Amino acid sequence: MSLRTRQADFNNKNKNDTSMSRQQWLDPIVVTLNGTPCIEEYVKIGDDPRGRLIYYFLFSNDPAIEIDLSLIDNSTRPGLPRSDWRPRAEALVDKLKEKIRFEVLHGTTRN
C-alpha cells in the first residue's frame, strides 16, 4: 500500500471524529535529513498541526526505516503539574533529528 493511499484511508476513517485526539495526516514532503533523502509527514492531532512527526527513509521502493516522533501534552492530566512543555519537547526533537545518520553499504543498512 502506498503512503498516499494509507494516508487517505486513515483520514477517511477519522473524518467524522470531533475529539481533541482526532488525527489527520497532512501531505508528506520530500526532505533531506542530515544528508539522507527521506519523506517527512506531520500528523495533526486535535488542533495541533505538529502533534506527530514521521520520517520515512527510502532505501528501496518501500520505506525501509520509519521514525515516528509524537509530542504529547500530559500536563493536563489530573495530578500532574501544568507546564509549558512544547518548547522543550520541540528542542528535544530537533536534537534527536540532528543525530540521525544512515549509511547504506552493499545492500545492508548501518546506523
Side-chain angles (χ1 to χ4, degrees), residues 4 10 20 24 29 34-35 42 57 70 78 81 94 96 103:
R4 289 209 186 263
F10 190 85
M20 287 305 295
Q24 177 186 4
I29 59 172
N34 303 320
Y42 284 99
F57 292 90
S70 297
D94 289 342
L96 289 170
E103 183 178 351

Side-chain angles (χ1 to χ4, degrees), residues 22-50:
R22 176 183 182 253
Q23 294 187 9
Q24 177 186 4
W25 292 29
L26 306 178
D27 288 335
I29 59 172
V30 176
V31 300
T32 300
L33 186 61
N34 303 320
T36 304
C38 61
I39 296 173
E40 178 183 76
E41 180 175 48
Y42 284 99
V43 179
K44 180 179 176 183
I45 300 177
D47 293 332
D48 183 359
R50 293 184 52 172

Side-chain angles (χ1 to χ4, degrees), residues 8-25:
D9 287 348
F10 190 85
N11 284 341
N12 189 42
K13 288 177 188 174
N14 292 311
K15 68 182 175 187
N16 295 324
D17 184 356
T18 58
S19 72
M20 287 305 295
S21 61
R22 176 183 182 253
Q23 294 187 9
Q24 177 186 4
W25 292 29

Side-chain angles (χ1 to χ4, degrees):
M1 176 184 292
S2 77
L3 182 59
R4 289 209 186 263
T5 301
R6 185 173 80 163
Q7 177 187 38
D9 287 348
F10 190 85
N11 284 341
N12 189 42
K13 288 177 188 174
N14 292 311
K15 68 182 175 187
N16 295 324
D17 184 356
T18 58
S19 72
M20 287 305 295
S21 61
R22 176 183 182 253
Q23 294 187 9
Q24 177 186 4
W25 292 29
L26 306 178
D27 288 335
I29 59 172
V30 176
V31 300
T32 300
L33 186 61
N34 303 320
T36 304
C38 61
I39 296 173
E40 178 183 76
E41 180 175 48
Y42 284 99
V43 179
K44 180 179 176 183
I45 300 177
D47 293 332
D48 183 359
R50 293 184 52 172
R52 189 169 155 206
L53 175 60
I54 305 170
Y55 286 98
Y56 302 95
F57 292 90
L58 307 173
F59 298 113
S60 65
N61 289 336
D62 296 319
I65 296 176
E66 176 182 324
I67 297 177
D68 189 336
L69 303 166
S70 297
L71 302 179
I72 301 168
D73 180 5
N74 281 325
S75 69
T76 60
R77 288 180 35 203
L80 294 177
R82 301 224 11 112
S83 68
D84 187 12
W85 64 276
R86 186 65 182 231
R88 291 190 320 273
E90 288 180 351
L92 177 59
V93 165
D94 289 342
K95 286 181 183 178
L96 289 170
K97 287 176 15 182
E98 289 173 8
K99 302 295 182 188
I100 296 172
R101 301 279 189 276
F102 293 100
E103 183 178 351
V104 180
L105 300 171
H106 307 290
T108 62
T109 303
R110 291 180 26 193
N111 58 359

